[in-house]
Amino acid sequence: MKKLVVPAIIGMLSSLALVSSSVGVLPAPLPESQSAAASPRSVTLGPVTVDDGGAARANMSALSRLTPAVDPDIRPASPSTAAGELTTTPAEVQQAAGQAPTAAASAEALPAPAPTTTAPAPTPEVPWIPPLWAPDAELAAPSPTRLAAPESAALAAPEALVPDSNAGAILTVFNRINEYRVSKGLNPVKYHPTVAGLAQEWSDSIASREVIEHRASFWTDPRAMNPNNGAGEVIAIRTDRDAAQLVEWWKSSTGHNALLLDPRFNVMGAGISYTNSTYQVWGVVNFFGYTTLPAGTVSSPGGGSGGAFPPPAPSMCDAPARHMPPTLDLSAAAIKGPGDLVSVDSTGQLLARAATGMRTFAAAKIIGSGFAGAKEVFTTDWDRDGALDLLTQWSSGTLTLHRGIASGGFQASVTLGSGGWDTLTLAVGGWCANNRLPQILALDAAGNLYLYPNKGTGDLSERTPVGAIGAARKLSMVDYDADGFQDLLVLRADGSVQLHRGWGTTALRAETRPTVATGWGDVTGIRALKDVTGLNSTGVALRRTNDVVQYWDLTSGSLASPSNIPGPWTGQRLAH
């Protein structure tokens, strides 16, 4: 799947408003005066030290308690030489070489003063991505196991989007495309609201994540309605809201222009999303060709001042506030990135191995102690401040959060749940597609799966059912099929692994659950990793018996190419 990350330009930091709820099965949070007493007191998280055996362990008693975090110092980036390169005079060259400049050289180095002018700021180069065509072979022989639409597929509420009407922009895109096709002697395309829903969902997704990428195998989505005569997708973004110029840009690109003028296409759907960042409008158009037009096809999307698509109903996936995470320098942080391996040894020490690229990791470093009583430890950026945090599920039944500090170490623990968490099997990650905060999926002893929304440092008593998936030994949340939505790997007692695909909402996809692996009966830990084999790569690390840790790549959309990660791993269990 082709992907292009849009450069982030930070204009201001938005405050994160998080509201605690007292409704649910878990007790309300303890008062601040009692919170420290409820949390494990023996946890120490301090300066990073290299795990060199007994010497390092002897020094753990000297680790200091955590200092409060400070707001990151965010400064504008230095101007690049491309925007305005500094020129070197002959005199400067001579001085750099240790030579005294001559009078002639000095005269040449001092030209007459030029009038002072202010150069206009350069227009940012707009990122783009080539069009995506469906392979004709897949359209000619459609799979009999196409996905059924989920029973409750309400879209997650947009979190980083501006909720302005897009009806006029969609009509403009539709009319400009058809005017262009007719001018070339082609038939105009018609419009289908279901296809438009497919395009709008993806437009919202990439705009809220600020990533330009195609939806993998979009033509197999049930909302594509089985096209049999071609399928294509075009994407464009702009720094203004001129929807007509989206079409003009597609016309100016050879590949995109060919897709606009494909004579096979007779139906389209458009999605337009607005943001308040540098790139203000995001456009996605899906084209399909059908031998017989699907029911519900209309001649035009229509105009009017109302929104082209009604707002989604409120759900547990809704973000508490608009939030743009900063990009921090994590070179001094305890956990440096989403590809790092974190483990707990037999004495309760917390070890971190930084990812160094191409399935290699740095030597283990001790980043904390006192985790012997932890049932599971999860690494995640819980508050989306740019630094990775520790979410710990304790055998005593509590759930705590240690917020990471970019300059090193962690803040003091905060109790998010004060009882009953030891009975649950957890997975942590971005289950809700348009909510940048991570959430928790929790499986109870009866096999019922629940979603706990992120309440910041508030209590996690509120939850919503996701579905009944049966008993499992382990869960792991990862984008298995590379479609942009998080999925759930469910490790059964017999060592088989079942895939439950997500839809970006509180619901699972309504489909047959495939078994994607067998023989994992000896697996005691599964850790989803990113950027291990390259930028935007995805994979999982497995902790197995005989002190083996394996990495399995998932970038292609299926488990592939396992390789062992050097240890030693004796007595260690993986954090998730």
Side-chain angles (χ1 to χ4, degrees):
M1 177 174 63
K2 295 183 178 178
K3 178 183 294 187
L4 190 151
V5 179
V6 178
I9 299 179
I10 302 175
M12 61 180 293
L13 292 178
S14 300
S15 61
L16 181 61
L18 296 168
V19 181
S20 175
S21 171
S22 60
V23 180
V25 297
L26 296 181
L30 296 175
E32 185 176 356
S33 60
Q34 302 177 24
S35 178
S39 302
R41 294 186 175 184
S42 58
V43 173
T44 303
L45 294 163
V48 172
T49 58
V50 178
D51 182 15
D52 57 355
R57 289 175 172 81
N59 291 332
M60 286 303 296
S61 61
L63 293 179
S64 61
R65 289 287 176 180
L66 300 176
T67 58
V70 296
D71 291 333
D73 182 15
I74 298 178
R75 304 172 185 270
S78 300
S80 65
T81 55
E85 290 189 4
L86 298 177
T87 57
T88 304
T89 65
E92 290 171 329
V93 173
Q94 289 179 339
Q95 288 175 332
Q99 303 173 9
T102 64
S106 299
E108 292 177 2
L110 298 173
T116 302
T117 59
T118 302
T123 302
E125 181 179 353
V126 178
W128 64 280
I129 190 171
L132 179 61
W133 303 75
D136 290 341
E138 292 191 18
L139 298 176
S143 169
T145 59
R146 289 181 183 268
L147 301 177
E151 296 176 359
S152 56
L155 296 181
E159 180 265 326
L161 307 178
V162 177
D164 292 347
S165 170
N166 59 2
I170 287 176
L171 183 61
T172 295
V173 168
F174 176 80
N175 287 338
R176 289 298 181 94
I177 289 174
N178 274 335
E179 289 169 2
Y180 185 48
R181 287 176 63 90
V182 171
S183 72
K184 300 297 183 180
L186 299 173
N187 291 325
V189 293
K190 296 185 180 297
Y191 202 77
H192 201 291
T194 301
V195 176
L198 175 69
Q200 185 65 48
E201 178 191 78
W202 193 245
S203 175
D204 287 347
S205 175
I206 62 174
S208 64
R209 293 181 289 124
E210 292 193 308
V211 173
I212 304 178
E213 62 181 349
H214 286 292
R215 185 199 296 267
S217 302
F218 64 89
W219 54 92
T220 66
D221 190 286
R223 291 166 291 182
M225 298 175 292
N226 300 321
N228 60 355
N229 196 28
E233 179 176 273
V234 292
I235 296 174
I237 63 177
R238 287 187 60 80
T239 57
D240 56 32
R241 290 194 174 191
D242 192 340
Q245 291 304 312
L246 295 175
V247 181
E248 293 304 312
W249 190 91
W250 288 324
K251 289 163 59 177
S252 70
S253 164
T254 302
H256 296 81
N257 183 69
L259 200 148
L260 295 184
L261 299 179
D262 191 320
R264 299 174 300 167
F265 297 152
N266 51 12
V267 170
M268 66 165 274
I272 297 290
S273 304
Y274 299 120
T275 73
N276 56 7
S277 63
T278 300
Y279 305 102
Q280 297 183 25
V281 64
W282 299 65
V284 175
V285 178
N286 289 123
F287 294 93
F288 296 116
Y290 304 94
T291 302
T292 302
L293 290 176
T297 301
V298 295
S299 298
S300 169
S305 59
F309 303 97
S315 80
M316 200 72 77
C317 270
D318 293 353
R322 183 178 298 168
H323 184 57
M324 179 69 70
T327 300
L328 302 181
D329 179 2
L330 298 181
S331 59
I335 305 172
K336 305 183 186 306
D340 291 7
L341 279 174
V342 178
S343 60
V344 181
D345 70 11
S346 57
T347 67
Q349 292 190 126
L350 201 64
L351 309 177
R353 293 171 170 85
T356 53
M358 297 310 296
R359 306 188 186 218
T360 60
F361 296 84
K365 294 184 177 182
I366 301 171
I367 60 173
S369 65
F371 286 83
K375 178 181 178 181
E376 301 286 0
V377 178
F378 300 86
T379 60
T380 183
D381 188 359
W382 183 254
D383 53 5
R384 292 294 282 171
D385 66 347
L388 289 162
D389 312 315
L390 298 173
L391 195 67
T392 307
Q393 180 187 16
W394 297 93
S395 299
S396 62
T398 59
L399 185 73
T400 63
L401 171 70
H402 289 87
R403 296 175 61 196
I405 304 173
S407 58
F410 299 85
Q411 295 187 46
S413 68
V414 176
T415 299
L416 303 183
S418 56
W421 287 90
D422 56 318
T423 65
L424 303 173
T425 302
L426 306 183
V428 179
W431 185 256
C432 298
N434 289 329
N435 187 337
R436 297 183 181 220
L437 296 172
Q439 300 88 35
I440 297 175
L441 288 179
L443 184 68
D444 66 14
N448 299 309
L449 188 67
Y450 296 92
L451 173 72
Y452 285 83
N454 190 321
K455 296 294 184 181
T457 56
D459 74 284
L460 293 178
S461 61
E462 188 178 13
R463 68 182 187 180
T464 189
V466 176
I469 66 172
R473 288 177 45 222
K474 295 287 181 182
L475 301 178
S476 182
M477 195 187 303
V478 65
D479 182 8
Y480 183 92
D481 54 2
D483 67 348
F485 299 115
Q486 291 291 297
D487 308 308
L488 194 64
L489 293 178
V490 180
L491 177 59
R492 305 295 185 186
D494 63 358
S496 63
V497 180
Q498 196 174 49
L499 175 64
H500 292 251
R501 298 204 300 159
W503 195 256
T505 71
T506 58
L508 295 166
R509 288 180 184 260
E511 62 180 351
T512 302
R513 314 296 181 194
T515 297
V516 295
T518 57
W520 286 21
D522 64 332
V523 171
T524 59
I526 306 175
R527 161 90 162 112
L529 297 173
K530 294 186 65 177
D531 303 336
V532 170
T533 59
L535 182 64
N536 298 320
S537 66
T538 303
V540 293
L542 306 182
R543 177 66 167 95
R544 314 196 74 147
T545 56
N546 301 323
D547 299 323
V548 171
V549 172
Q550 290 180 326
Y551 177 79
W552 291 70
D553 188 66
L554 271 174
T555 304
S556 63
S558 62
L559 290 165
S561 307
S563 60
N564 290 351
I565 300 174
W569 296 102
T570 303
Q572 297 180 37
R573 49 198 174 96
L574 283 184
H576 297 275

